[in-house]
Amino acid sequence: MTAKTFTQEDLHRLQKQTFGYFLHETDTSTGLVRDSTHIGSPASIAAVGLALACYLVAAERGFMERSEAAARTLTTLRFFRNSPHGEDPDAAGHRGFYYHFLHMSSGRRAWRCELSTVDTAYLLAGALAAAAYFQGKDPGEREIREIADELYLRSDWAWAANGGHTLTHGWKPEKGFLHYRWRGYSEAMLMYLLALGSPTHPLPRKSWAAFASGPGFRWRRIYGEEFLYSGPLFVHQLSHVWVDFRGIRDAFMRSKKCDYFENSRRATYAHQRYAIHNPRKLRGYGELCWGITASEGPGPATLVVDGVKRRFLDYAARSIPSGPDDGTLAPWAVVASLPFAPEIVLPSIQYIEDIGVGKGSPYGFQATFNPTFPSDSGKPCGWISPRNFGLNDGPVILMIENYRTGLLWNLMRRCPYLVEGLKRAGFRGGWLEKR
């Protein structure tokens, strides 16, 4: 085990390397961002939302000029404002929501995918962050603010609830609303806050209570940590990219004398302790090598490794403590935990780099690695994903920045729609009171 730890200079380098994804995997004529580096990958609207926020970090860090960041942002927002909208099955969106995946070439619906409520929320969050950042009198910056407002205000959250108090996962022109609803602790926290804060098509206040209830809201004790449970790390991270939950509490967290930031800190420690305990006796796991989340893997395959028959998965919502867990770890999920527990995350990032993850990659760390899966890489990390994903690389850049300066948190504190959503969800205390 290494005693070294990632430094501020190392974090700057990792941010800059990772930002290369959004520089080079973007169509500069539309602003659309590829879902992954897989050949033929369509655009992901959530990746676009992350890109919009990453441009702000890039301008602050000198990875690009502010004028270039503004130009890219404006191109992107104009595309979404002007893209075909309606019930046509090959439109880009409908009722203020956008299809999960869009063709990079045409900007229209790809793969007969769903109109995605949660992915639209992440797209809108990026637009609103840009509006909070670009406050200049320049006509381009003024237009950024105007279009971001227009996009947010036309999203019909009441329609997306389809007669209920919770939001549906989405809609398809062929079949209508999807059966599943967003209920229970998940990455949809941000979506509900934006939906509650809308002055045009809001959800009712009771929607937060409906979301934050039932079997999906479970307080558990795992490896010595008590927290609101979700098995994959990303659930404890993605809404925190945008929202500073430090010191603010809703009714549930007031009842637990906790807040969602502290909750994520505890979850981060539970993940590390799971790796130390290593109940499945997988290779590589330990104090410095952890990071289980929804991710792609080396499977599907069933192999005998060290005398043990193991089943390896492709994409799966990997989880602790009950699995699935096939030995696949996600470096980005470790980095995205940085604001919560830097004392354990910084040495772990250094270790992951030391064992060979990221070497030869143009965009920092690859999506995943698996020391247990047989590999001819010759590196201690074993099998390495051949791809990068925008949904992984965005949080790396943004959570490093939140740790360093709180940039995204400070910008979104100034977003009146998010502030209103927090208040209508029953959050009190901390910066909300001081504001």
Side-chain angles (χ1 to χ4, degrees):
M1 294 279 182
T2 179
K4 293 189 294 183
T5 190
F6 234 52
T7 65
Q8 289 289 325
E9 292 76 15
D10 292 326
L11 289 172
H12 185 84
R13 169 176 53 84
L14 180 58
Q15 275 185 303
K16 187 174 183 178
Q17 288 174 343
T18 308
F19 181 66
Y21 186 96
F22 299 102
L23 273 179
H24 304 301
E25 302 300 332
T26 299
D27 185 316
T28 55
S29 66
T30 62
L32 292 177
V33 180
R34 294 186 190 280
D35 177 57
S36 77
T37 51
H38 185 73
I39 295 173
S41 171
S44 156
I45 61 168
V48 175
L50 290 164
L52 290 170
C54 287
Y55 297 150
L56 316 180
V57 175
E60 288 294 295
R61 290 286 167 192
F63 304 157
M64 62 167 48
E65 295 294 328
R66 180 188 175 97
S67 58
E68 183 184 355
R72 279 183 172 242
T73 300
L74 190 53
T75 294
T76 307
L77 297 182
R78 283 172 174 168
F79 166 79
F80 280 96
R81 180 190 61 189
N82 300 330
S83 59
H85 229 61
E87 295 186 3
D88 191 324
D90 74 339
H94 180 48
R95 302 293 287 255
F97 297 91
Y98 291 88
Y99 287 101
H100 193 161
F101 299 107
L102 301 175
H103 284 292
M104 287 293 292
S105 55
S106 67
R108 291 174 179 258
R109 181 191 185 198
W111 293 343
R112 292 173 65 86
C113 66
E114 82 285 7
L115 198 76
S116 175
T117 50
V118 73
D119 291 280
T120 296
Y122 281 88
L123 170 64
L124 295 175
L128 293 172
Y133 182 80
F134 291 111
Q135 287 289 309
K137 297 180 180 179
D138 174 88
E141 295 201 12
R142 185 169 62 248
E143 189 178 355
I144 286 172
R145 298 193 294 274
E146 291 170 354
I147 300 177
D149 239 34
E150 181 182 342
L151 293 176
Y152 171 72
L153 294 175
R154 75 181 185 182
S155 296
D156 193 341
W157 302 103
W159 170 81
N162 190 29
H165 296 317
T166 54
L167 288 162
T168 61
H169 278 212
W171 176 89
K172 289 187 173 184
E174 297 85 5
K175 297 181 178 180
F177 286 101
L178 304 187
H179 174 70
Y180 295 104
R181 288 180 174 270
W182 288 104
R183 186 180 180 191
Y185 183 49
S186 69
E187 69 274 25
M189 289 176 67
L190 173 69
M191 175 179 68
Y192 274 92
L193 295 173
L194 292 179
L196 285 164
S198 171
T200 50
H201 307 287
L203 291 182
R205 291 175 184 267
K206 65 182 71 173
S207 292
W208 183 263
F211 159 68
S213 63
F217 251 66
R218 290 180 289 166
W219 190 259
R220 295 183 59 181
R221 183 179 181 86
I222 300 173
Y223 293 103
E225 296 289 346
E226 290 189 1
F227 60 101
L228 178 59
Y229 173 74
S230 179
L233 266 173
F234 83 95
V235 170
H236 302 287
Q237 299 165 338
L238 288 190
S239 292
H240 293 260
V241 168
W242 315 93
V243 186
D244 183 0
F245 285 105
R246 293 175 297 179
I248 64 173
R249 299 172 175 178
D250 64 353
F252 180 85
M253 281 298 170
R254 284 194 291 275
S255 74
K256 299 298 182 182
K257 296 181 171 57
C258 189
D259 62 44
Y260 288 100
F261 183 92
E262 169 63 18
N263 194 77
S264 292
R265 188 195 68 80
R266 296 178 188 181
T268 302
Y269 266 92
H271 271 260
Q272 185 204 40
R273 290 170 186 167
Y274 171 87
I276 293 169
H277 190 257
N278 195 10
R280 289 172 172 78
K281 309 304 179 189
L282 293 155
R283 290 179 182 173
Y285 281 30
E287 178 185 359
L288 300 176
C289 197
W290 48 278
I292 292 175
T293 195
S295 61
E296 72 161 4
T302 301
L303 303 171
V304 176
V305 180
D306 298 332
V308 178
K309 186 177 181 181
R310 297 194 182 274
R311 179 169 170 255
F312 295 94
L313 308 173
D314 186 3
Y315 182 86
R318 292 170 172 83
S319 179
I320 72 160
S322 302
D325 177 15
D326 63 353
T328 301
L329 300 172
W332 74 269
V334 176
V335 180
S337 297
L338 181 59
F340 311 123
E343 65 279 3
I344 65 171
V345 170
L346 288 169
S348 296
I349 302 173
Q350 182 67 61
Y351 179 77
I352 291 168
E353 182 174 83
D354 287 347
I355 63 174
V357 183
K359 291 181 180 177
S361 167
Y363 305 137
F365 292 135
Q366 294 96 337
T368 48
F369 67 101
N370 190 318
T372 304
F373 188 81
S375 169
D376 58 3
S377 73
K379 300 175 182 177
C381 61
W383 174 87
I384 306 176
S385 167
R387 287 183 279 275
N388 282 74
F389 292 78
L391 269 176
N392 300 351
D393 288 347
V396 168
I397 298 163
L398 299 172
M399 289 300 257
I400 288 176
E401 195 59 35
N402 278 336
Y403 167 70
R404 298 179 80 183
T405 68
L407 176 66
L408 261 292
W409 291 338
N410 293 331
L411 288 173
M412 295 304 285
R413 281 185 180 191
R414 302 205 299 264
C415 175
Y417 309 125
L418 178 62
V419 170
E420 179 65 16
L422 285 164
K423 290 180 176 179
R424 296 188 75 224
F427 281 85
R428 299 201 302 264
W431 62 266
L432 269 177
E433 302 292 333
K434 294 175 184 176
R435 188 179 184 281

